[in-house]
Amino acid sequence: MSETGSTPDTTTTVLITGANKGLGYETARRLGELGWRVFLGARDDLRGREAAERLSAGGADVTFVPLDVTSDDSVTAAVRTVRERTDRLDVLVNNAGITGELIGPEETLPQHLIPVFRVNVFGPVRVTHAFLPLLRAAHDPRVVMVSSGAGSLTITSDPQRKESTFPHLMYPSSKAALNMITTQYAKAIPGIRFNLADPGFTATDLNGHRGTQTVTEGTDAIVEFATTSPGETGRYRDRDGALPW
């Protein structure tokens, strides 16, 4: 029961990592336009604040949250920042990601994989674990992991798919690991929905803006999983529908 004279806050809340540009920023913009309270996570303080200010100037409810997904201290501080402004988190979008060095498998050493896995795999695990209490306080909590078709064994084995034409040990293996981790979360924590969104070949800094999709098209699957309530868990899709594992 709420206190006398107060009303429950029904605004949907979302935290997006790596949201100062690209897919993360566009996701923040789209969800902000829906009237959501957006916590814009970014490692770079200046760029993060500027991104949040641009969205706020357009009328969105956006709060910048300093957030380096590779740092325990940073993630712990981010939880405090969000908790100061809300008693729950309805949606977590683990978007932050890197490709790693663009070198072939024969040149790749273990030290090349470590920074990519630190961001793309350990980062989502670190952030998800830290925000579980706030997610569990929500009515229908959901976590959207931003994956890739490059994480699909089926797709990367299909010579008709672009993802099969770029042999690379770092990025595809990190997304395949993220896919498995997400399915395990979905089975182990039925009270929270965990899903994987593949943006597709979208023009962002990640690929030197060579992608054939706009960032709006690239965020379609992310926004679909974020806004669908109630919905399924343990799913993997792009903007056109389900993807093979």
Side-chain angles (χ1 to χ4, degrees), residues 138-150:
H139 171 67
D140 180 28
R142 49 255 191 217
V143 176
V144 183
M145 304 287 199
V146 179
S147 183
S148 168

Side-chain angles (χ1 to χ4, degrees), residues 96-119:
I98 61 173
T99 58
E101 294 186 50
L102 298 180
I103 57 177
E106 72 281 2
E107 302 169 278
T108 303
L109 296 171
Q111 57 261 37
H112 294 121
L113 277 79
I114 291 170
V116 181
F117 273 67
R118 186 179 293 131
V119 175

Side-chain angles (χ1 to χ4, degrees), residues 165-220:
T165 63
F166 301 105
H168 191 239
L169 294 191
M170 292 163 257
Y171 185 75
S173 63
S174 73
K175 292 303 185 180
L178 181 63
N179 288 1
M180 176 59 75
I181 284 170
T182 304
T183 64
Q184 299 306 306
Y185 273 133
K187 289 190 289 185
I189 311 177
I192 302 174
R193 292 192 284 113
F194 291 85
N195 290 296
L196 291 148
D198 168 26
F201 193 39
T202 303
T204 67
D205 286 352
L206 211 63
N207 55 42
H209 293 271
R210 294 188 302 272
T212 55
Q213 292 185 157
T214 66
V215 287
T216 301
E217 291 171 327
T219 55
D220 280 349

